């Protein structure tokens, strides 16, 4: 039996964050995205205040957004989310920022659970309620996968939230992660035009197979299918955003998707752990216990050479993981849009 701290929760009621005067997604040009996850709801999270100060256009929760492990108690999952909802900084973020969310095992309901988890239907219904994304996730969808597209042509950002839990098999060489309906949906989404694409998975895509943690490499058939799908749809400008680990890093696998597969992994906004070996890690790992991560998008050539028409820079984005207590960067990585293209 589990006991939360001595708090009394009201009925779970979540206010509608989107104002009637809000712009349509097609008019919102994203220039700063916040990435968050692996949040221990019963512990302080000063990173939430830093996210408020950063004023992102969009905040993406990649999973393990609370720790609500239970075999059969949906109310426990609701109560854990209510602790997050009651945090003042989170309340303000919901009022001021567009939020998208995926889930991983601990907010799905139990460690490493997949398609056989007995509460998955109830957990999905509550996920739609808590994160207020029912407009993007049909009630009868077999999972929480969904997408939103922001900005006009030329600055169009597609955010694809995968659900590798609801239909997930046990690990194995032939095992699946998404389920056939989600694969067909993903193919259609990748065919849509976008100038930048973020594909979100709760656990890592490029982590080594021998890691003790979950990874797409432990589902090699599904991982190959994912990479082949990106190639066949000619989906350029794609970056994976992942979590699960309580640190931050960049992984880059050469030519894996027709160009380099790049993964921005950050999670653990109020947790820390030592990193494991990763063949494709191209940066030092960031380890601050209280941390936050931002992706700054520079759409245009923003510095002009004096007296010349030629730009001194090119479109790029910068991924930064900060020590939230010091508000100082631990990891910074620049990626040019030109690196996310199929060879001509």
């Amino acid at each position: 039996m589990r006991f939360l701290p001595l708090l009394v929760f009201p009925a779970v009621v979540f206010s509608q964050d989107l104002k009637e005067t809000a712009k349509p997604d097609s008019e919102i040009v994203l220039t700063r995205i916040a990435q968050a996850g692996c949040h221990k709801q019963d512990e302080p999270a000063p990173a939430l205040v830093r996210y408020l100060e950063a004023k992102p256009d969009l905040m993406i929760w990649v999973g393990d957004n609370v720790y609500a492990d239970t075999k059969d108690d949906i109310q426990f999952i609701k109560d854990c989310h209510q602790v997050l909802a009651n945090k003042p900084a989170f309340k303000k973020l919901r009022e001021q920022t567009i939020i998208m969310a995926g889930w991983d095992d601990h907010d799905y309901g139990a460690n490493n659970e997949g398609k056989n988890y007995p509460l998955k239907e109830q957990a999905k219904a509550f996920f739609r309620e808590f994160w207020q994304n029912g407009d993007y996730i049909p009630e009868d969808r077999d999972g929480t996968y969904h997408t939103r597209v922001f900005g006009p042509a030329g600055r169009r950002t597609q955010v694809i939230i995968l659900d590798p839990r609801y239909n997930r098999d046990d690990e194995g060489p032939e095992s699946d992660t998404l389920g056939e309906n989600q694969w067909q949906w993903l193919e259609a989404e990748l065919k849509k035009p976008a100038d930048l694409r973020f594909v979100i998975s709760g656990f890592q895509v490029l982590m080594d197979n021998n890691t003790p943690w979950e990874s797409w490499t432990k589902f090699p058939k599904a991982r190959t299918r994912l990479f082949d799908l990106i190639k066949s749809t000619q989906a350029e400008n794609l970056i994976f955003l992942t979590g699960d680990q309580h640190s931050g890093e960049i992984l880059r696998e050469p030519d894996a998707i027709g160009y380099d597969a790049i993964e921005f992994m950050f999670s653990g906004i109020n947790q820390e752990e030592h990193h494991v070996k990763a063949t494709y890690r191209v940066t030092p790992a960031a380890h601050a216990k209280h941390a936050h991560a931002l992706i700054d998008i520079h759409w245009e050539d923003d510095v002009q050479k004096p007296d010349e028409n030629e730009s001194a820079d090119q479109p790029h984005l910068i991924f930064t993981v900060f020590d939230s207590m010091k508000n100082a960067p631990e990891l910074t990585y620049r990626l040019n849009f030109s690196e996310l293209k199929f060879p001509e």
Side-chain angles (χ1 to χ4, degrees):
M1 187 173 184
R2 296 175 176 83
F3 294 94
L4 291 171
L6 294 177
L7 297 171
V8 178
F9 300 117
V12 180
V13 178
F14 309 110
S15 62
Q16 178 56 256
D17 302 322
L18 297 178
K19 299 180 176 61
E20 293 182 2
T21 56
K23 292 181 180 179
D25 288 356
S26 61
E27 296 181 11
I28 299 172
V29 177
L30 300 182
T31 59
R32 171 167 284 181
I33 297 173
Q35 182 174 341
C38 288
H39 163 252
K40 287 272 190 170
Q41 69 274 7
D42 298 324
E43 298 180 8
L48 296 178
V49 176
R50 296 300 187 188
Y51 284 124
L52 266 177
E53 295 171 347
K55 298 181 179 179
D57 305 306
L58 170 68
M59 186 176 195
I60 301 174
W61 289 76
V62 298
D64 290 343
N65 306 319
V66 299
Y67 284 73
D69 292 61
T70 179
K71 292 181 179 179
D72 55 12
D73 187 356
I74 189 63
Q75 188 59 48
F76 182 74
I77 295 177
K78 294 180 179 181
D79 290 346
C80 290
H81 281 81
Q82 186 67 58
V83 178
L84 171 60
N86 287 345
K87 290 189 172 183
F90 183 76
K91 288 182 180 180
K92 291 183 179 179
L93 282 165
R94 297 190 80 155
E95 294 169 359
Q96 300 175 15
T97 308
I98 300 171
I99 292 180
M100 295 182 68
W103 60 11
D104 201 22
D105 48 349
H106 295 292
D107 48 348
Y108 179 55
N111 187 46
N112 294 345
E113 278 286 3
K115 67 182 182 181
N116 295 319
Y117 181 55
L119 290 181
K120 69 178 188 178
E121 281 297 332
Q122 292 169 277
K124 183 192 74 172
F126 177 71
F127 180 92
R128 294 174 72 248
E129 176 189 358
F130 181 84
W131 293 107
Q132 302 174 5
N133 49 27
D135 289 345
Y136 306 98
I137 305 174
E139 187 174 0
D140 61 351
R141 175 164 288 174
D142 60 335
T144 61
Y145 53 94
H146 63 289
T147 188
R148 290 177 70 172
V149 178
F150 300 92
R155 297 185 179 185
R156 181 175 292 152
T157 303
Q158 182 186 44
V159 181
I160 299 174
I161 306 278
L162 299 180
D163 182 350
R165 303 239 69 97
Y166 189 95
N167 295 302
R168 173 192 182 277
D169 296 329
D170 293 335
E171 293 175 358
E174 299 294 316
S175 296
D176 193 16
T177 50
L178 302 184
E180 195 58 37
N181 289 338
Q182 189 171 180
W183 282 114
Q184 297 301 320
W185 169 87
L186 178 58
E187 180 176 7
E189 292 299 322
L190 291 176
K191 290 179 178 178
K192 295 178 180 178
D195 302 293
L196 184 61
R197 306 175 198 268
F198 294 105
V199 175
I200 289 81
S201 168
F203 55 86
Q204 291 190 259
V205 177
L206 304 183
M207 178 62 74
D208 290 18
N209 183 44
N210 61 357
T211 177
W213 316 117
E214 289 184 290
S215 170
W216 277 72
T217 53
K218 296 182 179 182
F219 301 84
K221 185 176 180 180
R223 185 175 182 269
T224 297
R225 183 174 182 178
L226 176 63
F227 289 179
D228 287 346
L229 188 59
I230 295 168
K231 294 175 186 176
S232 66
T233 56
Q234 290 289 288
E236 295 186 320
N237 314 309
L238 187 149
I239 300 166
F240 295 109
L241 303 185
T242 68
D244 191 41
Q245 306 302 303
H246 306 154
S247 57
E249 65 185 9
I250 305 291
L251 302 182
R252 184 166 183 155
E253 184 171 346
D255 200 34
I257 55 176
Y259 49 94
D260 290 0
I262 298 172
E263 178 179 304
F264 293 174
M265 194 289 293
F266 171 75
S267 210
I269 65 173
N270 59 356
Q271 299 185 73
E272 62 181 332
E273 65 187 359
H274 190 70
H275 62 274
V276 297
K277 180 181 178 181
T279 300
Y280 297 114
R281 184 182 293 120
V282 293
T283 63
H287 288 293
K289 178 176 181 178
H290 295 288
H292 60 289
L294 300 173
I295 302 167
D296 288 304
I297 305 170
H298 300 265
W299 286 103
E300 295 183 343
D301 301 337
D302 52 9
V303 180
Q304 296 292 324
K305 292 181 179 179
D307 303 321
E308 295 183 24
N309 293 323
E310 183 182 358
S311 173
D313 210 342
Q314 59 177 306
H316 63 280
L317 53 82
I318 297 176
F319 176 69
T320 309
V321 178
F322 295 85
D323 180 328
S324 297
M325 300 304 291
K326 300 176 181 178
N327 202 22
E330 273 200 293
L331 179 161
T332 302
Y333 188 81
R334 172 180 167 139
L335 179 64
N336 295 331
F337 282 31
S338 60
E339 299 174 68
L340 303 172
K341 306 291 185 185
F342 291 101
E344 296 181 359

